[in-house]
Amino acid sequence: MNLPPHITVQDGRLKIGGFDCGDLAERYGTPLYVTDQDRIIALFHAYRNELATRYPRVKVLYAAKANGNLAILRALAREGAGADVFSSGELTLALSAGMAPGDLLFNGSSKSRQDLALAVEKGVPVSVDSLDELHVLDEVSRQAGRVTPIAFRVNPALDVPTHPKIATGLATSKFGIPHGMIRDAYREAMKCEGVLPVGIHCHIGSQILDLQPFVEAARVMVEIVRDLVAMGIRIEFVDLGGGLGIPYHHQVDERAPSPREYAEAVVPVIRKGLGEIGITPGLWVEPGRSLVADSTILLTRVNSTKKAHKNFVNVDAGFNLLVRPAMYEAYHEVIVAGKADMQPAETYTVAGPICESGDILAADRRLPAVHEGDLLAVLDTGAYGFSMSSQYNCRPRCAEVLVYHGQAALMRRAETIEDLTAPMQLPPWLS
Ligand code: LLP
């Protein structure tokens, strides 16, 4: 099995960042998310260095939605990362992690007046998604006596090979302003005193394993920038969004482009195009998954096994903690943590504890013999894992542990039943 360098097998036992998974599960309980900080930081530097050796002004904005834990934002902030934020919550967390307001971009197709007011107050640039939003932001900015730097999110209408639910640059997507209408949007923005158009933004989708769509998107962006510059707009940044995929299949030789291959493919298009126009704006990217996905495993304990029409392994984590398999038919590799060097013995379907037939973490997997009490590790759960979790079935969310340079510590305690009920209130006629 191909494993990333921080995940190892010693005497048949699975380790992350040098820590035995069984020991971590004993110490912190299960289910448990465990993240290796060094892995995230190494990937962040790979991204920034590969881009920065090819282009003079580069910013890596981590897509906070992938994993919004404050510790991860802080670790990245310390290395100089900014963030793509998609809500007031993500914005506030990124700032409290120590990121500079100017290193954030407030994205999203449906921001409230309150969201926009927060961006204005904190001095965070906004990626504007509609003319309606432009006018609200203009008004909010003028009321605050500010001029807010903006980009428009362009919908480049590209057909990207990924799951339809995570392809965001299709012509039919809810995101962005259609490519053909974008120049008019900038014209409108130039009339607004409360905003200053300084950037352009796109994001074509997620879990993309082919570089060609990124190259295409870069071409579209350059083409638009050429017209914007001719209109008299000073473009200070071009933001290409995120979207680079990772290899989720470790049993076969699945490959994803590395940050280097991404930079090699995309930067020449940007460099040449912008060079011809005669400008050198900042080049921003917004990776989420490719920075954090493989840093993390989800440890889950086997409650029972059952031979029925299928061979079920019933574990203590379900789509309440990892919704990707149920939502996108996503594949996550599963390893029996204490039997990592054993040959497969049976075909198992790993099912969660949620009251839905769709609560399957992994279907029809060849695994060594699994018994009650065994510990399973679900790989590549650092992106859109905990961040998409819920309390469905009144299940408190689990803890998250961070490992770093031989240390392990909680970065989130497990929720309790009291945490579930704390915000609930009985209306007066029921109390
Ligand atoms: N920038 C913007 C504006 C985005 O909307 C996203 C992700 C990113 C950057 C980061 O994309 P990444 O590098 O992570 O592909 N929940 C889905 C993925 C949804 C992605 C949403 N937008 C999943 O679990 O596959």
Side-chain angles (χ1 to χ4, degrees):
M1 189 172 309
N2 300 318
L3 293 173
H6 59 295
I7 298 184
T8 52
V9 176
Q10 209 179 324
D11 302 327
R13 296 177 69 93
L14 191 70
K15 294 189 162 194
I16 176 163
F19 284 90
D20 184 272
C21 290
D23 293 347
L24 289 171
E26 280 296 317
R27 184 154 145 208
Y28 296 103
T30 60
L32 184 71
Y33 273 103
V34 186
T35 297
D36 186 307
Q37 181 178 332
D38 294 303
R39 176 64 174 170
I40 297 175
I41 299 310
L43 288 171
F44 170 75
H45 285 297
Y47 251 107
R48 197 174 51 189
N49 297 344
E50 295 299 343
L51 291 165
T53 53
R54 294 173 174 82
Y55 191 85
R57 298 177 55 207
V58 167
K59 260 191 208 178
V60 178
L61 278 66
Y62 164 57
K65 69 203 73 149
N67 190 329
N69 191 291
L70 186 59
I72 288 173
L73 289 165
R74 169 68 60 91
L76 282 163
R78 281 206 319 211
E79 306 299 320
D84 140 40
V85 295
F86 226 81
S87 67
S88 289
E90 288 181 3
L91 187 155
T92 305
L93 260 91
L95 291 179
S96 57
M99 292 176 179
D103 289 344
L104 307 184
L105 186 65
F106 196 169
N107 286 316
S109 55
S110 186
K111 307 181 197 80
S112 67
R113 226 165 241 273
Q114 289 78 4
D115 290 331
L116 295 170
L118 184 68
V120 169
E121 182 203 327
K122 301 294 182 189
V124 172
V126 177
S127 172
V128 175
D129 199 278
S130 66
L131 289 185
D132 255 12
E133 184 184 301
L134 173 73
H135 290 125
V136 178
L137 177 62
D138 178 39
E139 190 187 316
V140 171
S141 263
R142 280 187 286 112
Q143 277 164 0
R146 300 282 179 90
V147 178
T148 301
I150 65 157
F152 280 106
R153 163 106 175 231
V154 181
N155 179 342
L158 293 176
D159 212 347
V160 173
T162 187
H163 192 281
K165 281 190 188 153
I166 53 177
T168 47
L170 303 176
T172 51
S173 157
K174 72 169 181 172
F175 294 108
I177 295 181
H179 176 191
M181 293 158 78
I182 198 75
R183 291 154 188 86
D184 285 342
Y186 279 89
R187 268 185 211 104
E188 189 70 20
M190 287 168 85
K191 295 186 211 147
C192 300
E193 287 172 7
V195 301
L196 186 65
V198 293
I200 182 160
H201 175 222
C202 75
H203 169 73
I204 56 173
S206 200
Q207 183 53 13
I208 300 168
L209 294 171
D210 173 7
L211 289 169
Q212 207 44 42
F214 294 107
V215 171
E216 266 319 299
R219 282 211 184 95
V220 172
M221 296 289 265
V222 168
E223 196 185 294
I224 298 169
V225 169
R226 182 171 292 122
D227 294 347
L228 300 181
V229 169
M231 283 160 55
I233 295 175
R234 270 196 56 190
I235 290 293
E236 292 172 13
F237 69 87
V238 176
D239 182 337
L240 297 177
L244 203 58
I246 66 139
Y248 281 100
H249 295 80
H250 295 260
Q251 307 269 13
V252 294
D253 196 21
E254 191 182 30
R255 279 256 316 131
S258 64
R260 169 177 294 181
E261 288 164 325
Y262 174 84
E264 278 171 353
V266 169
V267 175
V269 178
I270 292 288
R271 245 191 115 96
K272 180 163 179 289
L274 298 178
E276 283 166 10
I277 302 168
I279 57 170
T280 316
L283 173 61
W284 296 8
V285 292
E286 301 175 342
R289 187 190 318 267
S290 52
L291 280 186
V292 296
D294 77 3
S295 69
T296 302
I297 57 177
L298 172 60
L299 295 178
T300 181
R301 188 73 74 186
V302 176
N303 283 328
S304 57
T305 62
K306 177 169 69 177
K307 279 201 191 303
H309 293 294
K310 282 192 163 199
N311 219 355
F312 288 104
V313 173
N314 300 312
V315 294
D316 61 4
F319 77 52
N320 53 322
L321 293 176
L322 181 67
V323 78
R324 303 194 68 258
M327 191 151 171
Y328 315 112
E329 294 90 40
Y331 182 96
H332 285 265
E333 211 65 74
V334 171
I335 297 179
V336 186
K339 305 175 181 172
D341 58 354
M342 285 190 193
Q343 290 304 312
E346 300 244 23
T347 301
Y348 290 105
T349 288
V350 181
I354 297 299
C355 178
E356 302 229 10
S357 321
D359 186 28
I360 302 295
L361 288 181
D364 304 322
R365 299 297 174 84
R366 297 287 299 159
L367 297 174
V370 178
H371 302 291
E372 181 266 321
D374 278 345
L375 185 68
L376 304 190
V378 187
L379 302 195
D380 304 312
T381 49
Y384 311 108
F386 193 97
S387 68
M388 294 180 78
S389 65
S390 75
Q391 297 174 329
Y392 185 40
N393 272 178
C394 283
R395 287 188 169 271
R397 275 175 281 236
C398 69
E400 294 180 286
V401 162
L402 192 63
V403 301
Y404 175 64
H405 282 17
Q407 305 164 76
L410 280 177
M411 60 174 172
R412 181 194 306 265
R413 66 161 172 82
E415 291 173 353
T416 61
I417 303 285
E418 290 68 43
D419 291 323
L420 294 183
T421 52
M424 296 183 188
Q425 297 186 22
L426 288 177
W429 61 91
L430 290 175
S431 54

